[in-house]
Amino acid sequence: MTLTINDIAKKAKVSKSTVSRVLNNSGYVRKETREKIENVIKENIYYPSATARSLSKKESSTIGVIIPEADNEFFGEVLTGISEIVDEHNMTLIFCDTSNNFLKEERALAMLNMQRVKGLILTPVNDHNYGEAEKKLKQKLKDLKIPIVLLDRGVKNSEWDGVYFENYKSAYSATEILIKEGHKKIGIITGDLKLKIGQDRYKGYLGAMEDYGMEIINEYIYEGNFSVEKAYELSKQFIESKDLPDAIITCNNRTTLGFIKALKEYNLTLGKDIAAIGIDSNKVLDILGYNFSYVARDAVEMGRVAMHRLLERFEDPNKQRVECIMPYKIYLKGSEKMNP
Amino acid sequence: MTLTINDIAKKAKVSKSTVSRVLNNSGYVRKETREKIENVIKENIYYPSATARSLSKKESSTIGVIIPEADNEFFGEVLTGISEIVDEHNMTLIFCDTSNNFLKEERALAMLNMQRVKGLILTPVNDHNYGEAEKKLKQKLKDLKIPIVLLDRGVKNSEWDGVYFENYKSAYSATEILIKEGHKKIGIITGDLKLKIGQDRYKGYLGAMEDYGMEIINEYIYEGNFSVEKAYELSKQFIESKDLPDAIITCNNRTTLGFIKALKEYNLTLGKDIAAIGIDSNKVLDILGYNFSYVARDAVEMGRVAMHRLLERFEDPNKQRVECIMPYKIYLKGSEKMNP
DNA sequence: TTGTACGCGTTATCAC
DNA sequence: GTGATAACGCGTACAA
């Protein structure tokens, strides 16, 4: 049905070796022969089979991407960044969404193994979990025997390149800002403390509080799980208790939304009834002109960097493992202050 | 380096045909032989090469997806839906993001052609454009000679299956709601009128206005382009002119955001200073408890449906072309009313 | 029930 | 400069 290199060879009255040479710009081909072949290819709309090609060359130009949720602003941007670089290098991208599900993660890994992808960018479902699940994951990654870049979340004692975020520092900095604004009762709605990114952000908060000799009041530490719903629920609780903190740190974009939702519901005003600063950006909040302050990284850039790490690793498989920590940027819009 | 079926055959002391038979569960294999081979496969962590397999079988289980912007709530959800079904059927998904760029679209198509994908889900950069670009696109799609499902945007005189949205009806319905609320001066911020989805929504507005004998006032028709910025700019303009419409229809999620941004900036309140209803959902507006009313389709479901169409087409390549129009749902939150 | 031999569409290594 | 020919890793008639 679809044309092969043989068909082209016949039509051009040459051998397939010669066609292959013009396709790959390799070896000597007389100018006229080349032009003739090129014409036949154009006229007959021939595209060489990547499948046959990679079987023959024993290498693919395909990379795999496994992320937990494509319908998440952050990962959507990450994907955009990865895709951009993949495209620039004429590679192809196989996409997998795990929905934060271990079984799907396993299946994706097996599939990518069979597809013989050249490299993998992975955000694991878990993050630095010591259990059996992580052991299995690490083994499976080793079995792949290809360059891998971990993104956003990692594994304990990683042997792979990684692109992460300054979780500790960003939270530290956010806390510091609140402290310097003069707030005393500084609370936090943490992320999922089973994930390292959740832990680190929490630790950043504790670190800053300690360094500045602030009193850490357990009542103001609300353990969330990075979801809108939990943050909303926790926020309602502390709003209803009369003991409101002066300021709050929200540990990711969704936490921020849950918090703000609660504020609106109780008619509390940011920067008036309570101050706040978040981690992660929410495009929409900015568009709507909310005065919500936050520290965040550039997600698209994070995708680009991950793909670049992979490309470098292809170049030099033996170079030292590199972990790239994306810097945070501070976006102050006013909510960190309290104007009575 | 990586194991082949031959390695497994040797280790299991059988021929590779037998290994192939257990891999594919085809033909007769003695129970003991099968178990032995399965053990060898497990122990040596062998995964068959999808590349070699599809070359040999002359068919792939890979589908291509081309969307214009992954970092867009709508397409992120679409991708999630597609990925879900792809996964259920043990297929693999090759992802391309065109960034609404014709050249990238062309390159993606060529790449997917070489990859010999089994099917394609495509949201073209353009939508029912009569020009040369569309002719070229249609030709390239024909050249692919594979099942194709157009998603959200189509081409003139399409020969392919498609999954679209009730653009006309949804806009008609939105307009109708405003009319029945008693609004007289009903305006609209249109989408990109070069795209058919933009046109159809605009026509839905006109249709309802006409059917209900409403006077269409050109001053209240603001031509946007589906972007936040343009909608914001237009909104500012009509707010500053003293001649504000009673109610506004915003033609997609971004238009809505631009509009609301302007409202906030001028301290106008939705449902008090001006009524409004939009097309498309904005998760965040809902989360924040905005009272913004809208009509929308389920984007994740749209992805699922598109993938299902493709699967059906694989089953029966000759069945009649089917265009699936996703229904809209109405979400009234109050902004359609005007409470003085 | 199992093994042999060939083909899938390329690239690569040789001769010519 | 060009053309046979052998891989690449697998599936599959066909033979045994």
Side-chain angles (χ1 to χ4, degrees):
Chain A
M1 190 64 233
T2 60
L3 294 176
T4 74
I5 198 172
N6 268 312
D7 301 322
I8 301 300
K10 278 179 197 163
K11 286 184 200 270
K13 288 168 184 155
V14 294
S15 76
K16 61 177 179 180
S17 332
T18 309
V19 178
S20 178
R21 273 188 281 267
V22 341
L23 283 176
N24 298 288
N25 256 313
S26 65
Y28 300 88
V29 180
R30 204 187 338 150
K31 199 180 169 192
E32 304 137 45
T33 318
R34 144 156 303 153
E35 282 166 358
K36 187 177 178 185
I37 293 175
E38 280 170 346
N39 282 333
V40 175
I41 289 178
K42 280 260 161 58
E43 284 166 17
N44 295 277
I45 319 167
Y46 164 71
Y47 287 92
S49 156
T51 308
R53 191 173 257 177
S54 68
L55 182 61
S56 176
K57 304 223 299 187
K58 290 162 95 36
E59 69 164 42
S60 84
S61 62
T62 299
I63 73 120
V65 172
I66 303 181
I67 60 175
E69 330 143 323
D71 57 341
N72 173 321
E73 178 169 337
F74 174 71
F75 289 109
E77 291 181 11
V78 165
L79 185 59
T80 301
I82 296 175
S83 174
E84 185 184 314
I85 311 300
V86 166
D87 186 57
E88 278 176 12
H89 290 260
N90 286 310
M91 303 187 71
T92 105
L93 188 165
I94 294 183
F95 169 82
C96 307
D97 190 320
T98 60
S99 321
N100 277 306
N101 173 332
F102 287 104
L103 268 75
K104 283 197 174 195
E105 186 172 78
E106 266 190 62
R107 285 220 303 279
L109 252 18
M111 186 269 279
L112 294 174
N113 197 331
M114 301 205 287
Q115 292 293 338
R116 302 290 193 266
V117 292
K118 189 175 185 183
L120 169 65
I121 297 177
L122 165 71
T123 298
V125 171
N126 229 315
D127 184 11
H128 285 81
N129 180 298
Y130 294 75
E132 279 307 308
E134 180 164 302
K135 269 189 194 159
K136 268 178 71 178
L137 173 65
K138 286 176 69 176
Q139 191 53 52
K140 283 188 184 300
L141 294 185
K142 274 185 207 162
D143 294 345
L144 271 171
K145 291 170 183 163
I146 55 170
I148 294 176
V149 175
L150 265 20
L151 190 145
D152 197 46
R153 307 180 193 163
V155 295
K156 187 75 189 158
N157 296 324
S158 167
E159 316 162 15
W160 298 278
D161 297 331
V163 179
Y164 307 105
F165 176 48
E166 293 188 314
N167 290 297
Y168 182 94
K169 275 198 192 172
S170 60
Y172 187 102
S173 176
T175 312
E176 196 175 28
I177 288 167
L178 293 180
I179 294 170
K180 289 189 173 167
E181 279 296 331
H183 301 297
K184 299 300 171 203
K185 301 189 285 181
I186 298 176
I188 183 172
I189 305 176
T190 77
D192 186 342
L193 296 183
K194 290 192 297 297
L195 299 181
K196 184 159 187 291
I197 53 175
Q199 278 282 349
D200 286 353
R201 292 175 191 184
Y202 177 47
K203 286 180 189 161
Y205 160 79
L206 293 178
M209 293 293 274
E210 208 164 306
D211 287 358
Y212 283 86
M214 304 290 291
E215 186 190 3
I216 294 172
I217 307 169
N218 283 328
E219 280 68 41
Y220 298 147
I221 296 174
Y222 314 102
E223 187 175 339
N225 61 5
F226 283 144
S227 77
V228 173
E229 295 71 24
K230 186 72 181 171
Y232 171 64
E233 189 188 305
L234 292 169
S235 302
K236 280 209 304 194
Q237 279 173 25
F238 70 67
I239 291 173
E240 285 191 349
S241 82
K242 286 154 201 160
D243 193 15
L244 214 62
D246 299 336
I248 274 286
I249 293 169
T250 53
C251 277
N252 83 332
N253 49 6
R254 314 218 182 174
T255 305
T256 299
L257 291 178
F259 168 66
I260 292 187
K261 178 179 181 179
L263 286 192
K264 280 204 63 166
E265 208 168 294
Y266 286 82
N267 269 318
L268 299 186
T269 304
L270 216 47
K272 186 162 149 277
D273 300 304
I274 189 169
I277 186 166
I279 297 175
D280 272 2
S281 63
N282 273 292
K283 253 185 291 183
V284 173
L285 290 184
D286 283 343
I287 290 172
L288 293 183
Y290 259 77
N291 64 347
F292 192 79
S293 302
Y294 56 90
V295 296
R297 75 280 215 188
D298 182 337
V300 178
E301 183 63 18
M302 221 166 145
R304 289 195 199 101
V305 169
M307 189 57 203
H308 278 134
R309 288 294 145 270
L310 211 48
L311 292 168
E312 283 179 16
R313 178 61 59 194
F314 293 153
E315 294 302 313
D316 181 1
N318 298 315
K319 77 166 185 186
Q320 215 189 336
R321 187 169 73 86
V322 33
E323 295 205 334
C324 187
I325 312 293
M326 299 295 287
Y328 65 91
K329 285 186 194 161
I330 301 174
Y331 302 86
L332 295 184
K333 315 258 177 165
S335 71
E336 77 282 6
K337 302 192 177 171
M338 188 80 99
N339 324 302
Chain B
M1 191 59 238
T2 59
L3 294 177
T4 75
I5 198 173
N6 268 313
D7 300 323
I8 301 301
K10 278 180 196 160
K11 286 184 200 271
K13 287 168 185 156
V14 294
S15 78
K16 63 176 179 180
S17 346
T18 309
V19 178
S20 178
R21 274 188 281 268
V22 342
L23 282 175
N24 299 287
N25 255 313
S26 65
Y28 300 88
V29 181
R30 208 196 324 159
K31 199 181 169 190
E32 304 137 44
T33 319
R34 146 155 308 167
E35 281 167 0
K36 186 176 180 186
I37 293 176
E38 279 171 348
N39 282 334
V40 175
I41 289 179
K42 280 258 160 59
E43 283 165 17
N44 294 278
I45 318 168
Y46 165 70
Y47 287 93
S49 156
T51 308
R53 189 173 259 181
S54 69
L55 183 60
S56 175
K57 305 226 297 184
K58 290 162 95 38
E59 69 163 43
S60 84
S61 62
T62 299
I63 73 121
V65 173
I66 304 182
I67 59 175
E69 329 143 326
D71 58 340
N72 172 322
E73 178 170 335
F74 174 70
F75 289 108
E77 292 182 9
V78 165
L79 185 59
T80 302
I82 297 175
S83 174
E84 186 184 313
I85 311 300
V86 166
D87 186 55
E88 279 176 11
H89 291 259
N90 286 310
M91 304 188 69
T92 106
L93 188 165
I94 294 184
F95 169 84
C96 307
D97 190 320
T98 60
S99 322
N100 278 308
N101 174 331
F102 288 104
L103 269 75
K104 284 198 172 194
E105 186 172 76
E106 266 190 62
R107 285 219 305 277
L109 252 15
M111 187 268 278
L112 293 175
N113 198 330
M114 299 204 287
Q115 292 293 338
R116 301 291 193 265
V117 292
K118 188 176 185 184
L120 169 64
I121 296 176
L122 165 71
T123 298
V125 171
N126 229 314
D127 183 12
H128 285 80
N129 182 296
Y130 294 74
E132 279 307 308
E134 180 165 301
K135 271 190 192 158
K136 268 177 71 178
L137 173 64
K138 285 177 68 176
Q139 191 53 52
K140 283 188 186 300
L141 294 185
K142 275 184 207 167
D143 294 346
L144 272 171
K145 292 171 185 164
I146 55 168
I148 294 176
V149 176
L150 265 19
L151 190 146
D152 196 47
R153 305 179 194 163
V155 295
K156 187 74 188 159
N157 297 323
S158 167
E159 315 161 18
W160 298 278
D161 296 330
V163 179
Y164 306 105
F165 176 47
E166 293 187 312
N167 289 299
Y168 182 93
K169 275 197 191 174
S170 61
Y172 187 101
S173 175
T175 311
E176 197 175 25
I177 288 166
L178 293 180
I179 294 171
K180 288 187 174 168
E181 280 296 332
H183 301 298
K184 300 299 172 203
K185 300 190 285 182
I186 299 176
I188 184 171
I189 304 176
T190 77
D192 186 342
L193 296 183
K194 291 193 294 299
L195 299 182
K196 185 161 185 291
I197 53 174
Q199 277 282 349
D200 286 352
R201 293 175 189 183
Y202 177 46
K203 285 180 189 163
Y205 160 80
L206 292 179
M209 293 293 274
E210 208 164 306
D211 287 358
Y212 284 86
M214 305 288 293
E215 187 190 3
I216 294 171
I217 306 168
N218 284 328
E219 280 70 41
Y220 298 146
I221 296 173
Y222 314 103
E223 188 175 339
N225 61 5
F226 284 142
S227 77
V228 173
E229 295 71 24
K230 185 71 182 174
Y232 170 65
E233 191 188 302
L234 291 170
S235 303
K236 280 209 305 194
Q237 279 174 26
F238 69 69
I239 291 173
E240 286 192 349
S241 82
K242 286 153 201 160
D243 193 15
L244 215 59
D246 298 335
I248 274 285
I249 293 169
T250 54
C251 277
N252 83 331
N253 49 5
R254 313 219 182 175
T255 305
T256 299
L257 291 178
F259 168 65
I260 293 187
K261 178 177 180 179
L263 286 192
K264 282 203 62 163
E265 208 169 295
Y266 286 84
N267 268 319
L268 298 185
T269 305
L270 216 46
K272 185 161 152 276
D273 300 305
I274 189 168
I277 187 166
I279 298 177
D280 272 2
S281 63
N282 274 292
K283 254 185 288 185
V284 173
L285 291 184
D286 283 343
I287 290 171
L288 294 183
Y290 258 78
N291 63 348
F292 192 79
S293 303
Y294 55 91
V295 296
R297 75 282 213 186
D298 183 337
V300 177
E301 183 62 17
M302 220 165 146
R304 290 195 199 103
V305 170
M307 190 56 202
H308 277 135
R309 289 291 145 272
L310 212 47
L311 292 168
E312 284 179 16
R313 178 60 59 195
F314 293 153
E315 293 304 312
D316 181 2
N318 298 315
K319 77 167 186 187
Q320 215 188 337
R321 187 168 74 84
V322 32
E323 295 205 332
C324 186
I325 313 293
M326 299 296 287
Y328 64 90
K329 285 186 194 162
I330 302 174
Y331 302 84
L332 296 185
K333 316 257 176 167
S335 72
E336 78 282 5
K337 301 190 178 172
M338 188 80 102
N339 323 304

